[in-house]
Amino acid sequence: MGATVEQALEQLKSTGVRMTPQRHAILSFLMHSMTHPTADEIYKSLSPSFPSMSVATIYNNLRLFVEAGLIRELTYGDDSSRFDADLSEHYHAICRTCGTIVDFDYPPLTEVEIAASKETGFRVEGHRMEIYGQCASCASRHKAN
Ligand code: ZN
Ligand code: MN
């Protein structure tokens, strides 16, 4: 499990960022969400509780959290960015039909970094990989038709 919302907020405070109820709500929404939401989706979920909050505010706060290292921004294709508060080493399978993103883990891929480093002399800092296809429910719906 990653950090709790409280730990994340402490980390943010130590960088001099003032905590507001909106920031708390955005961060806690992300940390409890498994869906890798966009700024728009976060806005739709939180706007009933924070009617004066704009999408731009959400977006600016997401930027701030990314810079503070509390969340990751996912940029896949031309779609709007999605955000992930799970900072553990993991990969994403992306459904081309409905856009669902599902987490998965595959530790042997760190061997690719070692191999790349050996072959190129790079000090490797990371890699990215995505799997594209149809999620289980889209694939089964397709079969039924
Ligand atoms: Zn799907
Ligand atoms: Mn994820």
Side-chain angles (χ1 to χ4, degrees):
M1 268 320 277
T4 64
V5 178
E6 275 61 41
Q7 286 169 326
L9 292 177
E10 274 310 307
Q11 192 186 322
L12 203 58
K13 244 190 258 169
S14 73
T15 65
V17 175
R18 200 166 53 88
M19 196 34 61
T20 63
Q22 285 98 323
R23 281 188 184 142
H24 189 283
I26 296 167
L27 199 54
S28 118
F29 179 83
L30 261 173
M31 294 185 96
H32 296 115
S33 160
M34 299 302 289
T35 59
H36 310 87
T38 62
D40 259 335
E41 286 164 355
I42 299 172
Y43 173 73
K44 277 179 197 131
S45 301
L46 295 183
S47 63
S49 322
F50 297 93
S52 64
M53 184 164 58
S54 66
V55 194
T57 302
I58 303 238
Y59 207 79
N60 292 339
N61 280 301
L62 290 169
R63 276 266 100 71
L64 191 88
F65 297 154
V66 169
E67 273 157 32
L70 294 178
I71 62 172
R72 282 201 291 171
E73 180 174 7
L74 312 176
T75 49
Y76 297 143
D78 299 330
D79 292 340
S80 15
S81 289
R82 295 180 164 277
F83 296 89
D84 195 350
D86 181 355
L87 299 175
S88 70
E89 206 43 72
H90 69 279
Y91 300 100
H92 294 126
I94 301 146
C95 179
R96 286 199 193 275
T97 305
C98 71
T100 290
I101 297 180
V102 181
D103 292 329
F104 74 96
D105 194 14
Y106 194 69
L109 273 183
T110 54
E111 286 171 21
V112 173
E113 294 192 4
I114 296 164
S117 173
K118 272 191 189 145
E119 231 173 283
T120 62
F122 270 48
R123 189 175 67 195
V124 174
E125 292 171 347
H127 64 270
R128 72 181 262 183
M129 182 191 71
E130 299 97 50
I131 296 295
Y132 294 94
Q134 300 215 312
C135 71
S137 77
C138 286
S140 70
R141 202 174 309 129
H142 215 111
K143 225 184 288 168
N145 288 344

